[in-house]
Amino acid sequence: MARACELLPVGRQRLRRATVEARLFYGKGQLELVADEARRQGARLLICDNELSGGQIRNIEKATGMDCLDRTGLILSIFEQRAQTREAKAQVELARYEYELPRLKGAWTHLERQVGGVGVRGGAGETQIEVDRRMTRLRISQLKKELEHLQRVRDTQRQGRSPKIPRVCLVGYTNAGKTSILKALTGEGEPQDMLFATLDTTTRKAWLGVDPETLEPRHALVSDTVGFIRLLPHQLVAAFRSTLGEVRTADALLVVADASSPELEDHLKVVGATLKELGCGEHARLLVLNQTDKVTRPRRLELKRVHPDAVQTCALTRDGVDAIRQWLLDLIPGAPVPRVLENWEV
Ligand SMILES: Nc1nc2c(ncn2[C@@H]2O[C@H](COP(=O)(O)OP(=O)(O)OP(=O)(O)O)[C@@H](O)[C@H]2O)c(=O)[nH]1
Ligand SMILES: [Mg+2]
C-alpha cells in the first residue's frame, strides 16, 4: 500500500502485544526498537497498519521523532491521489473530513485559547478547536449535499435504463482484475497494476450474443466499482455509499477474485463482509476466479473442488469469459408470456 502512495518502504516489523497500550497503541520499548532501526535505514515515515487515534499518532511522533501515518490515513492518501471525477473527489474529501473531525482535538491544544474576534473565528469565547470543528462540520454538510445531488442524477440515469437489460456489478478485492473483466466483456476499461486504480463506477454494455429465436441482440449492463480491502475505513465505505448504490440496486453481482493470491480465501471473506455492510448480502452472485493463468494445474483442480460453482478466468486471454456471458444470459427475463386478449381487443 505504501508503494501505491509512491512511498519507498525500507523495512517492516510485526509487533506482538497482549494488550493495546492506550497512549502509544504499541509498547514503548517496541516502538523505540522500530524507530532506531528505521532511522538506521534512513526512513522518515512510520506507517502503522492499525487504525490509531489522533492522540496515539501524536504520541508516537513525539516518542520516535518521526512522522507517523496509520492504516486509514494511508488508504485515504491513496484514494486522494486517485480521485479524478467530481464525485470521487467529493467522496474522498468527505471521508477525509470525517476522519479528521474526531482527531482535531489535541492537534490544536497548544493553540487552544479564547479568541474574541469576529468572522471565521466566531463570536467571543470560541476556542480555536471549536472553530476548526465548526468549519469541518460545515464542509462535511456541504459535501453531503453535493453528493446527494449527484446521487439524484445517478438515480435518474438508472431509471432511464431499459428494465429488460440486466444490470450486474463487478465487485471484489482491489487489484483482482475487475476492470480487466469489464474490458473482456465490453471492450472498454483501463486495467492498471495498482491498488484502487478504479474509484468511479462506470457502466458499459456487454454484448452477450443473439437470441436464437428472435435473432434480437442480447445485452447486459456491467458496472465496474471501487475495490475492497481488509479494514476498508468505514469513513470511505460511508462516503462511497452513493457510487456503491449501483451495487445495491444491481440484479446480480460478479465477484472477482485473484485466484493466484495466497490470501484468496481471506480476500473472499473481506468481500463477503463488505457486501453485507452495504446491504447486498442476498444478491445473486457468480464467483469469478480470475488470473488463473498464474496458477498451476493442480491448484486449479483444487480451486474447482473448493469453489465448484465458480468460473475460472484469465481476463488477458479471455479464457472462461464466455462462461460469464452464459451466466449473464440466464438473468435476462424470458420471452414475454403470451397475453390473454381482452374482449375489446378481439
Ligand atoms: N496474469 C494476469 N493478470 C491479470 C489478469 N486480470 C488482470 N490482470 C492484471 O492485474 C492488474 C489489475 O487489474 P485490474 O483489472 O486493474 O484490477 P481491478 O480489480 O480493477 O483493480 P482496482 O480497480 O485497482 O481495484 C492489471 O495489471 C491487470 O493487467 C489475468 O487474468 N491474468
Ligand atoms: Mg479497477
Side-chain angles (χ1 to χ4, degrees):
M1 285 208 294
R3 282 198 194 92
C5 240
E6 281 156 29
L7 296 165
L8 180 67
V10 292
R12 118 163 103 177
Q13 280 193 35
R14 184 187 291 263
L15 307 184
R16 288 185 186 282
R17 242 189 112 68
T19 53
V20 163
E21 219 245 278
R23 220 179 68 79
L24 288 168
F25 193 89
Y26 309 100
K28 192 158 185 287
Q30 288 179 322
L31 265 182
E32 272 164 14
L33 283 177
V34 168
D36 282 348
E37 176 62 21
R39 266 191 294 270
R40 217 187 347 266
Q41 304 253 11
R44 277 180 306 178
L45 181 66
L46 213 53
I47 302 176
C48 304
D49 193 11
N50 293 92
E51 186 168 351
L52 308 180
S53 73
Q56 285 165 339
I57 293 182
R58 277 187 305 280
N59 291 337
I60 292 175
E61 287 181 338
K62 237 183 269 164
T64 62
M66 298 176 70
D67 285 333
C68 172
L69 202 60
D70 72 343
R71 180 180 175 91
T72 307
L74 181 62
I75 295 178
L76 276 172
S77 304
I78 302 175
F79 272 66
E80 276 162 351
Q81 284 187 6
R82 303 278 193 267
Q84 296 281 342
T85 63
R86 182 173 155 207
E87 188 168 27
K89 280 185 181 151
Q91 285 170 326
V92 176
E93 200 185 341
L94 174 61
R96 167 62 76 186
Y97 279 120
E98 297 273 15
Y99 171 75
E100 298 291 352
L101 187 59
R103 288 170 171 76
L104 286 173
K105 190 176 161 25
W108 291 99
T109 38
H110 57 294
L111 292 176
E112 204 163 324
R113 62 187 191 274
Q114 303 287 104
V115 286
V118 283
V120 267
R121 292 228 153 153
E126 193 175 31
T127 58
Q128 181 62 48
I129 177 76
E130 282 162 349
V131 176
D132 290 345
R133 284 211 196 105
R134 191 161 55 81
M135 300 308 276
T136 305
R137 286 210 189 88
L138 182 69
R139 189 68 190 126
I140 286 177
S141 78
Q142 283 173 341
L143 285 165
K144 280 189 175 160
K145 262 194 212 120
E146 184 179 348
L147 286 170
E148 269 165 33
H149 166 72
L150 293 170
Q151 168 75 41
R152 274 195 296 277
V153 175
R154 197 175 269 285
D155 285 345
T156 320
Q157 283 172 348
R158 197 184 295 140
Q159 275 156 16
R161 294 181 192 147
S162 161
K164 270 182 70 182
I165 303 185
R167 292 196 313 103
V168 292
C169 271
L170 290 159
V171 293
Y173 214 77
T174 182
N175 219 30
K178 299 175 293 300
T179 306
S180 306
I181 294 286
L182 177 80
K183 191 167 186 192
L185 284 169
T186 70
E188 290 175 87
E190 278 173 44
Q192 279 173 292
D193 191 10
M194 54 156 76
L195 300 180
F196 302 114
T198 308
L199 290 194
D200 296 291
T201 305
T202 46
T203 302
R204 296 283 176 267
K205 213 181 215 184
W207 188 77
L208 303 176
V210 290
D211 188 312
E213 280 167 27
T214 63
L215 295 182
E216 271 187 35
R218 295 190 294 187
H219 295 104
L221 287 176
V222 187
S223 301
D224 192 11
T225 60
V226 60
F228 304 154
I229 198 164
R230 186 177 63 85
L231 301 177
L232 187 65
H234 61 91
Q235 298 95 337
L236 277 171
V237 177
F240 275 75
R241 218 159 247 288
S242 61
T243 37
L244 286 169
E246 209 70 35
V247 181
R248 226 171 305 130
T249 58
D251 296 311
L253 307 177
L254 295 173
V255 178
V256 183
D258 175 1
S260 73
S261 165
E263 286 153 33
L264 171 66
E265 297 304 324
D266 287 335
H267 288 182
L268 289 177
K269 278 192 201 122
V270 168
V271 172
T274 313
L275 286 175
K276 245 193 217 135
E277 193 180 339
L278 288 167
C280 312
E282 309 289 314
H283 281 50
R285 61 187 70 178
L286 174 70
L287 177 59
V288 178
L289 293 174
N290 189 39
Q291 314 213 16
T292 43
D293 54 306
K294 295 203 256 172
V295 163
T296 60
R297 193 165 160 71
R299 174 76 179 132
R300 285 185 70 157
L301 291 172
E302 191 192 336
L303 285 171
K304 189 77 212 161
R305 192 176 50 72
V306 183
H307 302 287
D309 295 330
V311 171
Q312 299 194 3
T313 59
C314 167
L316 305 186
T317 60
R318 309 204 168 175
D319 248 2
V321 171
D322 275 340
I324 303 180
R325 285 206 179 86
Q326 195 51 52
W327 190 80
L328 292 176
L329 273 176
D330 292 340
L331 293 173
I332 296 180
V337 191
R339 205 162 53 88
V340 180
L341 293 182
E342 290 180 26
N343 281 340
W344 63 269
E345 287 176 296
V346 184

